[in-house]
Amino acid sequence: MKVSNDKGKYTLFSVLAGILMVIAWLVSPVQAAENKPDSSSTLTKPIKVSSGHQSNGLLDDQGHIWYWGGLYKQFKEKATLISGNPEKIAGLDSVVDISLGSHYGWAVKKDGTVWIWGRGTSYYEDGVDGSFMEMPLRIPLMSNVTKVSVADGLSAALTSDGKVWVEWVYPLAPNFKEAIGKGAAPQLLAGVDHVIDISATNSLGITFVKEDGTVWNWNDPEYGLTNLGTGRVTPKQITGLKEIVKLAPGTSAQHQLALKKDGTVWAWGNRIAEKKNKQTNVPFQVAGLSGVSELTVGDETDLALKQDGSVWSWGCKELLRSDDACIFNVPKQVEGLIDIASIGAGAKHSTAIKRDGTLWSWGDNRFGQLGDGTLNSSSVPIEIKLPGVEYAKQPSTLNVVVNGKTIALDGSPAYIDAATNLTYVPLRFVSEALGAKVEWTSNSLPIKASVMKPKVHEVIIRLNEKTASIDGKNVVIEGAPLLVNGYSMVPLRVISEGLGANVSWISESRTVNISMGDSSTQ
């Protein structure tokens, strides 16, 4: 690599093939800029939401938890719901993960300990019975935990070394101390390791994904009271699933969703059918979804977050008979939501956080679960404010400047993939702005982009594959090209630098600068 002593520039393309194989090279300029801490900012920013049956929990970037929904008071058998806004949970800080069930949630602290938090089921004061926010309580034994998944009773925790803790928390106890005391002590699932993701649901027990992409299920019909960790109930592999990377959380869902490495979504479980009158527990692909990065399961509605920040919804109405089977509706994009970073689905409501930190919710609000201080439901997403909190909003889209000119990306905006932090741009718009010729006739065929000056370069890629040919040399790339809303979206560096261009990032305006130059002069 030639380095200019006075300008500090380097020749990008001359070492592209080798550098692409190095992880540091695959980090986009956007990623480097966003990972740099801002010492001048002390503002709170929501980063993750978890929806329970009729309530929500939120984790902010300061390690605090916020909660709203599902609170009530009852006097002489007449219940009154408490409508309210999100409130910060006292006694919890340094939290890195949360999961919310119907009556309570679990939180993972930075030190790997697990805490139960949320609302107690009853209190009695001045003749009024109701619910209340209880002080968090540490769950014993569990350590080195990185992620939790909570259902009503049976819940799970994933450790840093790939093992799974399971505990039965008695859901109807009047307080957390009794809830933990009446259940079995936490146990490690016998013989289970190399796990990368977990999901607990009321009907399916504990589902987990292993490093090899296989999916397994542990479900004790006695709800773990006698068989936790004993080996008498052994996990079973779910056939028909491979290359799975994530599972969908869902407290009281009757089915499960899994995300495949290629961005497709697969479903299985109780009372769902791939086709009419064909109820099945065999996994099948959810039609009409690709380029997905996150999933969540609700009672009536499932949500998918795509890599471009859009949210898609599907599902079916409440099943009235025990022999009814759900046939999924066609997934539809949720209007009014762009640039989303986190999603949650409850019984009949949904919640989302934008990448700029704003909080949005929609659906049923009879239990105050939308968090706007009312009990009025909303069919469209509404913005929810955290009381007493200010945070700086950022532009929701990226600007792309090629050779000094801002290019219009109508219908296919550039975005930052929330899962990988890579910058994705529409192949044709950017390539043609660089003076390149693009050849692509079918989704199953390779995509070729070539440029003749200042030097001849050629890039050949395929959708959903992490290999590319650059000037005849095969290289491995971190982000696979994707088809999003009919447009081929590719990691920025693969195309721009593969064609011999220079890339820079302006954080203040969220602008990606791409320019062509003669590498021989540098």
Side-chain angles (χ1 to χ4, degrees), residues 323-402:
D323 59 346
D324 284 345
C326 164
I327 302 176
F328 287 150
N329 299 323
V330 176
K332 294 182 179 181
Q333 186 172 354
V334 179
E335 295 183 3
L337 288 181
I338 60 173
D339 213 34
I340 300 300
S342 178
I343 52 175
K348 298 180 181 181
H349 75 282
S350 301
T351 311
I353 298 174
K354 284 190 175 183
R355 289 179 182 136
D356 65 8
T358 54
L359 173 66
W360 300 76
S361 61
W362 67 102
D364 184 23
N365 197 28
R366 291 176 295 171
F367 298 88
Q369 59 265 52
L370 295 191
D372 64 346
T374 76
L375 297 177
N376 301 323
S377 300
S378 176
S379 60
V380 297
I382 57 176
E383 185 175 355
I384 306 301
K385 302 291 187 179
L386 298 183
V389 170
E390 295 182 0
Y391 51 89
K393 294 185 180 181
Q394 296 178 347
S396 58
T397 58
L398 302 181
N399 301 308
V400 178
V401 176
V402 178

Side-chain angles (χ1 to χ4, degrees), residues 148-349:
V148 286
S149 184
V150 175
D152 277 351
L154 192 61
S155 301
L158 177 63
T159 67
S160 58
D161 58 354
K163 299 184 182 299
V164 178
W165 285 95
V166 180
E167 184 182 22
W168 170 260
V169 178
Y170 189 66
L172 298 180
N175 56 64
F176 291 159
K177 186 175 182 180
E178 289 191 31
I180 295 175
K182 288 187 177 182
Q187 300 278 350
L188 282 170
L189 286 185
V192 174
D193 53 17
H194 300 289
V195 175
I196 61 173
D197 199 16
I198 55 174
S199 178
T201 60
N202 289 346
S203 59
L204 300 178
I206 307 299
T207 306
F208 54 90
V209 182
K210 288 195 171 186
E211 292 174 351
D212 60 4
T214 58
V215 181
W216 300 70
N217 178 257
W218 186 94
N219 193 9
D220 185 355
E222 297 185 42
Y223 294 98
L225 289 174
T226 58
N227 294 327
L228 273 178
T230 63
R232 285 182 284 182
V233 177
T234 57
K236 296 181 179 179
Q237 184 175 353
I238 299 175
T239 58
L241 290 174
K242 60 181 182 179
E243 296 185 331
I244 300 300
V245 293
K246 288 183 182 179
L247 298 171
T251 300
S252 52
Q254 294 289 326
H255 62 274
Q256 180 58 274
L257 299 175
L259 178 62
K260 204 171 180 179
K261 185 172 63 174
D262 63 3
T264 58
V265 178
W266 295 71
W268 73 98
N270 299 327
R271 301 175 69 186
I272 60 173
E274 183 176 8
K275 297 179 181 179
K276 189 174 181 180
N277 299 325
K278 289 187 178 181
Q279 185 170 345
T280 178
N281 196 27
V282 177
F284 60 90
Q285 185 177 348
V286 179
L289 285 175
S290 61
V292 174
S293 60
E294 297 287 345
L295 296 166
T296 185
V297 179
D299 282 11
E300 295 184 2
T301 301
D302 298 341
L303 296 178
L305 172 60
K306 288 194 174 184
Q307 293 166 327
D308 63 358
S310 62
V311 177
W312 296 70
S313 171
W314 74 99
C316 57
K317 293 296 183 182
E318 185 175 359
L319 304 179
L320 301 179
R321 301 185 311 174
S322 61
D323 59 346
D324 284 345
C326 164
I327 302 176
F328 287 150
N329 299 323
V330 176
K332 294 182 179 181
Q333 186 172 354
V334 179
E335 295 183 3
L337 288 181
I338 60 173
D339 213 34
I340 300 300
S342 178
I343 52 175
K348 298 180 181 181
H349 75 282

Side-chain angles (χ1 to χ4, degrees), residues 439-447 462-463:
E439 300 177 35
W440 183 41
T441 58
S442 171
N443 293 352
S444 61
L445 295 177
I447 308 168
R462 286 181 178 270
L463 291 176

